Amino acid sequence: MIGCVAGSRWSRLPLTAGVLAGVGIAAVVVFRSGVLGRLAIEPSDLWVWLERASWFAASAGLIVAILPMVRRSGTGSAPRLVANPIRPGQEVHPDTSSLDVPDHGDERIRGRDELVEELSRWLVGRRVRAKAAVLHGLGGAGKSSLARVLARGALRKGFAVWWVVAATGTDLQVGMRNLALRLGATEFEVDRAWSGMSSATDLVWGLLNRQPGRWLLVIDNADSPEVLAGAGREVATGVGWLRPPARSRGCVLVTSRNGDRRVWGPWCSLFQVPVLAPEDGAGVLLDRAGEHAGTRDDAEALARRLGGLPLALHLAGAHLADDADLPLAGVSTFRDYQEEFETASAVSAADTAASLGDLQDGIGRMCDVSFQRLERRGIPEARPLWMLLSCFAEAPVPYRFLLDVDVLTTAEPFSGLDGNRLRRVLRALADLGIVQVVVRPRGTDEEPTLRIHPLVRFAGRRTADTAFLELAGRLLHRAALAEEPESAENPRRWHMWGAVAPHADHLLDAVAHLDPPPPDLLVNVAYVARLLGAHLRARGFFTETRRWHAAVVQTCAPVVGLDHPVVLSARHSLAALLHASGQFVEAEAQYRSTLDDRRRVLGESDPAALSTLHQLSSLHFDLHRFDEADRGFRTVLDHIGDLPLNDRPTLALSSRIMIARVSLQRGETDAAESEFERLLIEHTDLLGAEHPRTMWVRAELAHLHHLRGDLDRAGSEYASIL
């Protein structure tokens, strides 16, 4: 019985020794009792010898039986056995973790030929400096699949291959313990190492580096690299579970979402696993769904819309394959699936379409795992920042403009955030592939941006509530307010407004679909949309400009009314577009209705009302109704004195230019010339020689010289302006 407790390796020897000890003790008792001596006819030395042998057997048996228990107690294992006793009726679960390469059947990999070839060269290359490699990329990009392909290829080349899962610290510990035993460590050595009496990492790597043949160790799903580091160290130090092999015959391959070179160290080769090109993504869809789901062109279109993410392609293909086997749902083709996805991608969609349920769940789980890891690392802002970024459009996000820290900290998830902390959160998201940071090319004025995979954004939208949409609107509004008043029309700032435009367009549509739309959010986004209309008009995109302003009116008027300043501004801009396109009758009606409402709501001396009056007078000038035009411009000037100083210059100068033009049309050339010359000096001092308004005054002077017949002077000025 004593021997049976001692442990599995020693179980037979203690049992035998225990029996021997028991027999010896019984014999001693019998001899000492004198029973055999009385039965003997003639006692002899034989009985004395047998008694002594019995004493010897009993002593030896006891020593042998107790020795394993003493040895095991010295390793620290005995407390483990006592602390986890097997109680009667308790179900015992054996360790089912395997070191073999997972078998996923006939796993076909598309679009990875070049990467597989590059990895194969790394695997067999004798002169490769770094025999540790990291496959990194977005969750669902196919990193594990690629590792399985490489591992099976290594097996065919005669490598010893072991597969260890590192999704959690427990998975890694179990896998490495089994690896140590597989490599020849005794249970005594393993127990001693895993109890902390010696180094488990040193034990495993000592055995690996002594392996005689070629070998490959795959560490899969190491999305939290810290589980691979030694106690109190970083992975890059190379003294934890991940180390550079001491001999060129060994290789280590890690799969992880984290692609930060600073984490892995210079001795690791990094291989990024990108998303699939549309033609390769179409192949995945056709492999899974079959040709009944549509043409290759349709498959490519769907693959492009799903961002080429293998996980999404497999889920979509599996759904369409199921529909072929049991055709009950309305989504059975690539086109049907894409239409469902387009609808569900809109913020306005309250529920995900049933056909996209698996896709949403799969992408949601993929993202959730990443954010749980970041939260454990002390970065709780990562999840809400992902949800916020998902509220913007499917376009690069100019984060320097749209992620204003002062606005972010007004929202609870970002309280206490500062610039350094925001940088750390963005870097963490980039390391896991949630976002991609696109740096500004050298020598250009392009803005650095963030790109978000459409499916990652899709999952974030399904999670974000209206509060995140409102925060996105406030950020957009702050970015516009930070610009100069005429920034939208300034060619030097067109790159910024071009980057902001798709996000304003998207948010305006998203807010319009809320029931009911929050008025403050609607006004913030509409303000930016109006400025973008001015930007597009300055670039000559009149049709797009009209669509923007019409969208502001149609979206905002039912919520805040036709008299709201942002709606009145859009109505004014629509009238100006009609004017610019030669629709004078419609433009005059729109100007007059807007002017009446602005005067009623804001007052006759309000800058907005005076601006509409100025534009109406400009229309009269174009219609050669010079008397009406002159009265209108002079009325504007009469009210200018009632305005704050910062609202006077531009409007006053514009009206004075137009009055001078009226004088020129009436034949009053001397008065016109004197006014234009004064205006040129004022414009140059106020706005600069190269400002469009300054050059407008110069052009009017050149035109005056032209009308007078001073062709040399006019030609020289025209050429200079040009």
Side-chain angles (χ1 to χ4, degrees):
M1 212 167 76
I2 295 173
C4 290
V5 198
S8 59
R9 281 192 73 205
W10 297 85
S11 58
R12 294 182 180 178
L13 181 58
L15 182 60
T16 305
V19 172
L20 179 62
V23 172
I25 292 172
V28 170
V29 171
V30 170
F31 280 118
R32 298 307 295 171
S33 66
V35 173
L36 290 177
R38 286 192 296 272
L39 293 176
I41 299 174
E42 185 177 351
S44 66
D45 292 340
L46 176 62
W47 301 106
V48 176
W49 183 85
L50 287 174
E51 181 180 352
R52 290 176 179 174
S54 299
W55 276 107
F56 176 78
S59 301
L62 286 172
I63 291 172
V64 174
I66 293 172
L67 180 62
M69 294 183 62
V70 174
R71 182 175 183 179
R72 289 183 66 85
S73 65
T75 67
S77 298
R80 176 172 57 84
L81 292 171
V82 174
N84 296 287
I86 299 176
R87 296 180 293 274
Q90 178 181 350
E91 184 178 359
V92 179
H93 296 282
D95 179 15
T96 57
S97 60
S98 173
L99 297 173
D100 296 334
V101 179
D103 184 6
H104 282 228
D106 186 15
E107 189 174 29
R108 188 171 185 180
I109 304 295
R110 287 188 174 273
R112 306 298 193 201
D113 294 345
E114 291 184 6
L115 187 53
V116 169
E117 184 178 350
E118 187 178 3
L119 285 167
S120 299
R121 288 196 300 269
W122 164 81
L123 181 67
V124 300
R126 298 275 182 176
R127 298 183 180 179
V128 177
R129 181 175 63 87
K131 297 301 286 183
V134 179
L135 280 176
H136 66 94
L138 186 64
K143 300 180 292 293
S144 296
S145 299
L146 197 56
R148 286 192 293 270
V149 169
L150 189 69
R152 286 194 289 268
L155 285 171
R156 289 192 294 270
K157 291 181 174 70
F159 280 67
V161 180
W162 307 285
W163 189 283
V164 174
V165 176
T168 67
T170 301
D171 291 336
L172 179 66
Q173 291 284 340
V174 170
M176 289 300 189
R177 182 186 178 95
N178 290 341
L179 178 60
L181 292 171
R182 176 79 66 89
L183 294 175
T186 65
E187 188 169 338
F188 169 71
E189 291 172 323
V190 170
D191 285 344
R192 181 177 175 81
W194 261 261
S195 67
M197 298 188 69
S198 63
S199 171
T201 55
D202 285 349
L203 173 64
V204 170
W205 274 97
L207 294 165
L208 281 171
N209 286 326
R210 289 196 295 271
Q211 291 301 301
R214 296 186 299 176
W215 56 266
L216 170 66
L217 171 62
V218 179
I219 303 177
D220 190 31
N221 284 335
D223 296 332
S224 297
E226 57 269 18
V227 303
L228 301 176
R233 296 186 175 92
E234 297 178 350
V235 179
T237 60
V239 294
W241 288 116
L242 178 61
R243 304 183 181 186
R247 302 172 61 186
S248 62
R249 297 175 67 82
C251 298
V252 184
L253 180 68
V254 181
T255 69
S256 176
R257 298 184 192 185
N258 194 314
D260 188 353
R261 178 168 291 282
R262 296 168 302 173
V263 169
W264 301 108
W267 46 272
C268 285
S269 296
L270 268 60
F271 297 90
Q272 184 174 13
V273 182
V275 295
L276 295 176
E279 55 271 21
D280 296 316
V284 174
L285 288 170
L286 290 167
D287 289 342
R288 297 300 300 272
E291 295 183 355
H292 82 279
T295 65
R296 174 167 284 275
D297 288 343
D298 292 340
E300 284 193 18
L302 178 56
R304 186 179 294 105
R305 191 64 186 88
L306 294 178
L309 189 67
L311 171 63
L313 298 171
H314 282 286
L315 291 171
H319 173 85
L320 295 173
D322 288 343
D323 182 81
D325 295 336
L326 192 63
L328 294 177
V331 176
S332 58
T333 67
F334 298 131
R335 286 189 178 184
D336 293 340
Y337 198 94
Q338 183 169 351
E339 289 175 4
E340 291 279 354
F341 182 74
E342 298 287 359
T343 302
S345 292
V347 173
S348 57
D351 300 306
T352 302
S355 61
L356 298 175
D358 290 340
L359 179 62
Q360 179 187 359
D361 292 343
I363 302 300
R365 284 193 300 271
M366 176 193 77
C367 294
D368 192 55
V369 168
S370 297
F371 294 121
Q372 286 178 5
R373 291 193 171 100
L374 291 178
E375 286 158 5
R376 288 195 294 270
R377 287 171 49 192
I379 311 178
E381 302 94 340
R383 188 189 299 267
L385 186 58
W386 159 65
M387 295 159 66
L388 172 65
L389 291 172
S390 298
C391 291
F392 290 109
E394 290 187 13
V397 178
Y399 59 89
R400 291 203 310 166
F401 289 102
L402 293 182
L403 295 185
D404 186 284
V405 173
D406 292 336
V407 177
L408 284 172
T409 51
T410 62
E412 183 179 353
F414 304 107
S415 59
L417 193 74
D418 59 17
N420 290 330
R421 180 73 178 177
L422 177 59
R423 186 181 298 108
R424 182 187 175 194
V425 177
L426 286 174
R427 188 178 296 281
L429 291 175
D431 290 343
L432 290 180
I434 301 296
V435 301
Q436 177 189 2
V437 179
V438 181
V439 299
R440 175 169 52 193
R442 291 183 181 275
T444 70
D445 59 0
E446 295 181 19
E447 284 302 316
T449 57
L450 301 174
R451 293 182 183 271
I452 308 173
H453 191 279
L455 291 178
V456 174
R457 181 174 162 278
F458 169 72
R461 276 192 181 184
R462 315 314 301 170
T463 309
D465 56 21
T466 307
F468 285 97
L469 200 61
E470 291 178 336
L471 180 57
R474 294 204 304 275
L475 289 165
L476 188 69
H477 186 241
R478 171 62 69 88
L481 287 177
E483 290 290 305
E484 295 291 334
E486 297 179 356
S487 168
E489 301 174 32
N490 185 349
R492 290 191 175 90
R493 303 300 294 160
W494 280 358
H495 65 279
M496 192 285 291
W497 287 102
V500 167
H503 303 292
D505 197 8
H506 164 73
L507 285 172
L508 188 63
D509 181 65
V511 175
H513 285 85
L514 295 178
D515 188 19
D520 290 343
L521 171 59
L522 195 58
V523 169
N524 283 341
V525 179
Y527 171 80
V528 182
R530 185 179 62 80
L531 291 179
L532 280 161
H535 161 72
L536 291 170
R537 180 182 175 184
R539 296 181 64 179
F541 301 130
F542 279 28
T543 302
E544 280 297 298
T545 305
R546 184 171 183 175
R547 182 184 69 82
W548 276 73
H549 291 310
V552 171
V553 175
Q554 294 167 4
T555 304
C556 294
V559 179
V560 297
L562 282 170
D563 292 342
H564 191 281
V566 74
V567 178
L568 288 170
S569 295
R571 290 169 58 192
H572 171 94
S573 297
L574 281 172
L577 283 171
L578 292 169
H579 181 181
S581 60
Q583 297 173 269
F584 294 151
V585 175
E586 296 86 346
E588 184 171 13
Q590 184 71 38
Y591 276 139
R592 289 193 181 280
S593 66
T594 304
L595 178 61
D596 291 343
D597 288 341
R598 276 184 159 175
R599 282 174 166 173
R600 175 173 50 82
V601 175
L602 305 173
E604 289 191 5
S605 295
D606 184 84
L610 294 177
S611 177
T612 302
L613 176 58
H614 174 87
Q615 288 298 107
L616 176 61
S617 301
S618 296
L619 174 64
H620 293 156
F621 178 89
D622 291 338
L623 291 171
H624 293 188
R625 289 152 56 177
F626 299 123
D627 291 341
E628 288 182 78
D630 189 66
R631 284 196 300 271
F633 294 130
R634 294 186 184 278
T635 302
V636 171
L637 288 177
D638 289 341
H639 287 285
I640 287 292
D642 299 330
L643 297 181
L645 289 175
N646 59 340
D647 288 333
R648 294 180 188 178
T650 301
L651 190 57
L653 291 174
S654 297
S655 293
R656 286 173 58 195
I657 291 174
M658 293 305 299
I659 290 173
R661 293 186 70 193
V662 170
S663 298
L664 186 60
Q665 291 295 329
R666 287 173 170 170
E668 303 167 358
T669 55
D670 292 340
E673 183 177 15
S674 298
E675 182 65 7
F676 281 137
E677 288 177 346
R678 285 193 295 270
L679 285 167
L680 180 58
I681 295 172
E682 293 177 28
H683 275 76
T684 303
D685 292 342
L686 184 67
L687 302 175
E690 295 184 353
H691 192 279
R693 289 181 178 273
T694 306
M695 287 191 279
W696 176 25
V697 178
R698 291 176 60 192
E700 292 294 340
L701 271 171
H703 180 57
L704 186 149
H705 299 317
H706 188 180
L707 292 177
R708 279 181 167 175
D710 191 350
L711 302 185
D712 291 339
R713 187 175 180 183
S716 175
E717 186 65 11
Y718 280 140
S720 176
I721 295 169
L722 181 61

Coordinates of all heavy atoms in Angstrom, one line a residue, residues 330-384:
G330 N -33.3 33.4 -48.9 CA -33.4 34.1 -50.1 C -32.0 34.5 -50.7 O -31.9 35.1 -51.7
V331 N -30.9 34.2 -49.9 CA -29.6 34.5 -50.4 C -28.9 33.3 -50.9 O -28.5 32.4 -50.1 CB -28.8 35.2 -49.2 CG1 -27.4 35.4 -49.6 CG2 -29.4 36.4 -48.7
S332 N -28.7 33.2 -52.2 CA -28.2 32.0 -52.7 C -27.1 32.2 -53.7 O -26.4 31.3 -54.2 CB -29.3 31.1 -53.4 OG -29.9 31.9 -54.4
T333 N -26.8 33.5 -54.1 CA -25.8 33.8 -55.0 C -24.8 34.9 -54.5 O -25.1 35.5 -53.4 CB -26.4 34.4 -56.3 OG1 -27.0 35.7 -56.0 CG2 -27.4 33.5 -56.9
F334 N -23.7 35.0 -55.1 CA -22.7 36.0 -54.7 C -23.3 37.4 -54.7 O -23.1 38.2 -53.8 CB -21.5 36.0 -55.6 CG -20.7 34.6 -55.6 CD1 -20.4 34.0 -56.8 CD2 -20.4 34.0 -54.4 CE1 -19.7 32.8 -56.8 CE2 -19.7 32.8 -54.4 CZ -19.4 32.2 -55.6
R335 N -24.1 37.7 -55.7 CA -24.7 39.0 -55.8 C -25.7 39.2 -54.7 O -25.8 40.3 -54.1 CB -25.5 39.1 -57.2 CG -24.5 39.3 -58.4 CD -25.3 39.7 -59.6 NE -24.5 39.9 -60.7 CZ -24.9 40.3 -61.9 NH1 -26.2 40.5 -62.1 NH2 -24.1 40.5 -62.9
D336 N -26.5 38.2 -54.3 CA -27.5 38.3 -53.2 C -26.7 38.6 -51.9 O -27.1 39.5 -51.2 CB -28.2 37.0 -53.0 CG -29.2 36.7 -54.2 OD1 -29.5 37.7 -55.0 OD2 -29.6 35.6 -54.4
Y337 N -25.6 37.9 -51.7 CA -24.9 38.1 -50.5 C -24.3 39.5 -50.4 O -24.3 40.1 -49.4 CB -23.7 37.0 -50.4 CG -23.2 36.8 -49.0 CD1 -23.7 35.8 -48.2 CD2 -22.1 37.6 -48.6 CE1 -23.1 35.6 -46.9 CE2 -21.6 37.4 -47.3 CZ -22.1 36.4 -46.5 OH -21.6 36.3 -45.3
Q338 N -23.8 40.0 -51.5 CA -23.2 41.3 -51.5 C -24.2 42.4 -51.2 O -24.0 43.3 -50.5 CB -22.5 41.6 -52.9 CG -21.8 43.0 -52.9 CD -20.9 43.1 -54.1 OE1 -20.6 42.2 -54.8 NE2 -20.4 44.3 -54.3
E339 N -25.4 42.2 -51.8 CA -26.5 43.2 -51.6 C -26.9 43.2 -50.1 O -27.1 44.2 -49.5 CB -27.7 42.8 -52.4 CG -27.5 43.1 -53.9 CD -28.7 42.7 -54.8 OE1 -29.7 42.2 -54.2 OE2 -28.6 42.8 -56.0
E340 N -26.9 42.0 -49.5 CA -27.2 41.9 -48.1 C -26.1 42.6 -47.2 O -26.4 43.3 -46.3 CB -27.3 40.4 -47.6 CG -28.6 39.7 -48.2 CD -29.8 40.0 -47.4 OE1 -29.7 40.7 -46.3 OE2 -30.9 39.6 -47.8
F341 N -24.9 42.4 -47.6 CA -23.8 43.0 -46.9 C -23.8 44.5 -47.0 O -23.6 45.2 -46.1 CB -22.5 42.5 -47.4 CG -21.3 43.0 -46.6 CD1 -21.0 42.6 -45.4 CD2 -20.5 44.0 -47.2 CE1 -19.9 43.1 -44.7 CE2 -19.4 44.5 -46.5 CZ -19.1 44.0 -45.2
E342 N -24.1 45.0 -48.2 CA -24.2 46.5 -48.4 C -25.2 47.1 -47.5 O -25.0 48.1 -46.9 CB -24.5 46.8 -49.9 CG -23.5 46.4 -50.9 CD -22.2 47.2 -50.8 OE1 -22.1 48.1 -50.0 OE2 -21.2 46.8 -51.6
T343 N -26.4 46.4 -47.4 CA -27.5 46.9 -46.6 C -27.1 46.9 -45.1 O -27.3 47.8 -44.4 CB -28.7 46.1 -46.8 OG1 -29.1 46.2 -48.2 CG2 -29.9 46.6 -46.0
A344 N -26.5 45.8 -44.7 CA -26.2 45.6 -43.3 C -25.0 46.5 -42.9 O -24.8 46.7 -41.7 CB -25.9 44.1 -43.0
S345 N -24.2 46.9 -43.8 CA -23.0 47.7 -43.5 C -23.4 49.2 -43.1 O -22.7 49.9 -42.5 CB -22.0 47.8 -44.7 OG -21.4 46.5 -44.9
A346 N -24.6 49.6 -43.5 CA -25.1 50.9 -43.2 C -25.4 51.0 -41.7 O -25.9 50.1 -41.1 CB -26.3 51.2 -44.0
V347 N -25.1 52.2 -41.2 CA -25.3 52.4 -39.7 C -26.8 52.3 -39.5 O -27.2 51.9 -38.4 CB -24.8 53.8 -39.3 CG1 -25.2 54.1 -37.9 CG2 -23.2 53.8 -39.4
S348 N -27.6 52.6 -40.5 CA -29.0 52.7 -40.3 C -29.7 51.3 -40.1 O -30.8 51.2 -39.6 CB -29.7 53.4 -41.5 OG -29.4 52.7 -42.7
A349 N -28.9 50.3 -40.5 CA -29.5 48.9 -40.4 C -29.5 48.5 -38.9 O -28.5 48.4 -38.3 CB -28.7 47.9 -41.2
A350 N -30.7 48.3 -38.4 CA -30.8 48.0 -37.0 C -30.3 46.6 -36.7 O -29.8 46.3 -35.7 CB -32.3 48.1 -36.5
D351 N -30.6 45.6 -37.6 CA -30.2 44.2 -37.4 C -29.5 43.7 -38.6 O -29.7 44.1 -39.7 CB -31.5 43.4 -37.2 CG -32.3 43.8 -36.0 OD1 -31.7 43.9 -34.9 OD2 -33.5 44.1 -36.1
T352 N -28.5 42.9 -38.3 CA -27.8 42.2 -39.4 C -28.7 41.2 -40.1 O -29.4 40.5 -39.5 CB -26.6 41.5 -38.8 OG1 -25.8 42.5 -38.1 CG2 -25.7 40.9 -39.9
A353 N -28.6 41.2 -41.4 CA -29.3 40.2 -42.2 C -29.0 38.8 -41.7 O -27.9 38.5 -41.3 CB -29.0 40.4 -43.7
A354 N -30.0 37.9 -41.7 CA -29.8 36.6 -41.2 C -28.7 35.9 -42.0 O -27.9 35.1 -41.4 CB -31.1 35.8 -41.4
S355 N -28.5 36.1 -43.3 CA -27.5 35.5 -44.0 C -26.1 35.9 -43.6 O -25.1 35.2 -43.9 CB -27.7 35.8 -45.5 OG -27.6 37.2 -45.8
L356 N -26.0 37.0 -42.9 CA -24.7 37.5 -42.5 C -24.4 37.2 -41.0 O -23.4 37.7 -40.5 CB -24.6 39.0 -42.7 CG -24.7 39.5 -44.1 CD1 -24.8 41.0 -44.2 CD2 -23.6 39.0 -45.0
G357 N -25.3 36.4 -40.4 CA -25.1 36.1 -39.0 C -23.8 35.4 -38.7 O -23.1 35.9 -37.7
D358 N -23.4 34.4 -39.5 CA -22.1 33.8 -39.2 C -21.0 34.7 -39.4 O -20.0 34.7 -38.7 CB -22.0 32.5 -40.1 CG -23.0 31.4 -39.8 OD1 -23.4 31.4 -38.6 OD2 -23.2 30.6 -40.6
L359 N -21.1 35.5 -40.4 CA -20.0 36.5 -40.7 C -19.8 37.5 -39.6 O -18.7 37.7 -39.1 CB -20.3 37.2 -42.0 CG -19.3 38.3 -42.4 CD1 -17.9 37.7 -42.7 CD2 -19.8 39.1 -43.7
Q360 N -21.0 38.0 -39.1 CA -20.9 39.0 -38.0 C -20.3 38.3 -36.7 O -19.5 38.9 -36.1 CB -22.3 39.5 -37.7 CG -22.3 40.5 -36.5 CD -23.7 40.9 -36.1 OE1 -24.7 40.5 -36.7 NE2 -23.8 41.8 -35.1
D361 N -20.8 37.1 -36.4 CA -20.3 36.4 -35.3 C -18.8 36.1 -35.4 O -18.1 36.3 -34.4 CB -21.1 35.1 -35.1 CG -22.5 35.3 -34.7 OD1 -22.8 36.5 -34.3 OD2 -23.3 34.4 -34.8
G362 N -18.4 35.6 -36.6 CA -17.0 35.3 -36.7 C -16.1 36.5 -36.6 O -15.1 36.5 -35.9
I363 N -16.4 37.6 -37.3 CA -15.6 38.8 -37.2 C -15.7 39.4 -35.8 O -14.7 39.9 -35.3 CB -16.1 39.8 -38.3 CG1 -16.0 39.2 -39.7 CG2 -15.2 41.1 -38.2 CD1 -14.6 38.7 -40.1
G364 N -16.9 39.4 -35.2 CA -17.0 39.9 -33.9 C -16.1 39.1 -32.9 O -15.5 39.8 -32.0
R365 N -16.1 37.8 -33.0 CA -15.3 37.0 -32.0 C -13.8 37.3 -32.3 O -13.0 37.5 -31.3 CB -15.5 35.5 -32.2 CG -16.8 35.0 -31.6 CD -16.8 33.5 -31.6 NE -16.7 32.9 -32.9 CZ -17.8 32.7 -33.7 NH1 -19.0 32.9 -33.3 NH2 -17.6 32.1 -34.9
M366 N -13.4 37.5 -33.6 CA -12.0 37.8 -33.9 C -11.6 39.1 -33.2 O -10.5 39.2 -32.6 CB -11.9 37.9 -35.4 CG -10.5 38.3 -35.9 SD -10.6 38.7 -37.6 CE -11.3 40.4 -37.6
C367 N -12.5 40.1 -33.4 CA -12.1 41.4 -32.8 C -12.2 41.4 -31.2 O -11.3 41.9 -30.6 CB -13.1 42.5 -33.3 SG -13.0 42.8 -35.1
D368 N -13.1 40.6 -30.7 CA -13.3 40.6 -29.3 C -12.0 40.0 -28.6 O -11.6 40.5 -27.5 CB -14.5 39.8 -28.9 CG -14.9 40.0 -27.4 OD1 -15.1 41.1 -27.0 OD2 -15.0 38.9 -26.7
V369 N -11.5 39.0 -29.2 CA -10.3 38.4 -28.6 C -9.2 39.4 -28.6 O -8.4 39.5 -27.6 CB -9.9 37.1 -29.5 CG1 -8.5 36.7 -29.1 CG2 -10.9 36.0 -29.3
S370 N -9.0 40.2 -29.6 CA -7.9 41.2 -29.7 C -8.1 42.2 -28.6 O -7.2 42.6 -27.9 CB -7.9 41.9 -31.0 OG -7.6 41.0 -32.1
F371 N -9.4 42.7 -28.4 CA -9.6 43.7 -27.4 C -9.5 43.2 -26.0 O -9.1 43.9 -25.1 CB -10.9 44.4 -27.7 CG -10.9 45.1 -29.0 CD1 -11.8 44.8 -30.0 CD2 -10.0 46.1 -29.2 CE1 -11.8 45.5 -31.2 CE2 -10.0 46.8 -30.4 CZ -10.9 46.5 -31.4
Q372 N -9.9 42.0 -25.8 CA -9.7 41.4 -24.4 C -8.2 41.4 -24.1 O -7.8 41.6 -22.9 CB -10.3 40.0 -24.4 CG -11.8 39.9 -24.3 CD -12.3 38.5 -24.3 OE1 -11.5 37.6 -24.3 NE2 -13.6 38.4 -24.4
R373 N -7.4 41.0 -25.0 CA -5.9 41.0 -24.8 C -5.4 42.4 -24.5 O -4.6 42.6 -23.6 CB -5.2 40.4 -25.9 CG -5.4 38.9 -26.1 CD -4.4 38.3 -27.1 NE -4.6 36.8 -27.1 CZ -5.2 36.1 -28.0 NH1 -5.8 36.7 -29.0 NH2 -5.3 34.8 -27.9
L374 N -5.9 43.4 -25.2 CA -5.4 44.7 -25.0 C -5.9 45.2 -23.6 O -5.2 46.0 -22.9 CB -5.9 45.7 -26.1 CG -5.3 45.4 -27.5 CD1 -5.9 46.4 -28.5 CD2 -3.7 45.6 -27.4
E375 N -7.1 44.9 -23.2 CA -7.6 45.3 -21.9 C -6.8 44.7 -20.8 O -6.5 45.3 -19.8 CB -9.1 44.9 -21.8 CG -10.0 45.8 -22.6 CD -11.3 45.1 -22.9 OE1 -11.6 44.0 -22.4 OE2 -12.1 45.7 -23.7
R376 N -6.3 43.4 -21.0 CA -5.5 42.8 -20.0 C -4.1 43.5 -19.9 O -3.4 43.4 -18.9 CB -5.3 41.3 -20.3 CG -6.5 40.5 -20.0 CD -6.2 39.0 -19.9 NE -5.8 38.5 -21.2 CZ -6.6 37.9 -22.1 NH1 -7.9 37.9 -21.9 NH2 -6.1 37.5 -23.3
R377 N -3.7 44.1 -21.0 CA -2.4 44.8 -21.1 C -2.6 46.3 -20.6 O -1.6 47.0 -20.6 CB -1.9 44.9 -22.5 CG -1.3 43.5 -23.0 CD -1.0 43.6 -24.5 NE -0.2 44.8 -24.8 CZ 0.0 45.1 -26.1 NH1 -0.5 44.4 -27.1 NH2 0.7 46.2 -26.4
G378 N -3.8 46.6 -20.1 CA -4.0 47.9 -19.5 C -4.3 49.0 -20.6 O -4.0 50.2 -20.4
I379 N -4.9 48.6 -21.7 CA -5.3 49.6 -22.8 C -6.8 49.4 -23.0 O -7.2 48.9 -24.1 CB -4.5 49.3 -24.1 CG1 -3.0 49.2 -23.8 CG2 -4.7 50.4 -25.1 CD1 -2.1 48.9 -25.0
P380 N -7.6 49.9 -22.1 CA -9.1 49.7 -22.2 C -9.7 50.6 -23.3 O -10.8 50.4 -23.8 CB -9.6 50.0 -20.8 CG -8.6 51.0 -20.2 CD -7.3 50.5 -20.8
E381 N -8.9 51.7 -23.7 CA -9.4 52.6 -24.7 C -9.4 52.0 -26.1 O -10.0 52.6 -27.0 CB -8.6 53.9 -24.7 CG -8.6 54.6 -23.4 CD -7.4 54.3 -22.6 OE1 -6.8 53.2 -22.8 OE2 -7.0 55.0 -21.6
A382 N -8.8 50.9 -26.3 CA -8.7 50.3 -27.6 C -10.0 50.0 -28.2 O -10.3 50.3 -29.4 CB -7.7 49.1 -27.6
R383 N -10.9 49.3 -27.4 CA -12.2 48.9 -27.9 C -13.0 50.1 -28.3 O -13.6 50.1 -29.4 CB -12.9 48.0 -26.9 CG -14.1 47.3 -27.4 CD -14.9 46.6 -26.3 NE -14.1 45.6 -25.7 CZ -14.2 44.3 -26.1 NH1 -15.0 44.0 -27.1 NH2 -13.4 43.4 -25.5
P384 N -13.2 51.1 -27.4 CA -14.1 52.2 -27.8 C -13.5 53.0 -28.9 O -14.2 53.6 -29.7 CB -14.1 53.1 -26.5 CG -13.1 52.6 -25.6 CD -12.9 51.2 -25.9

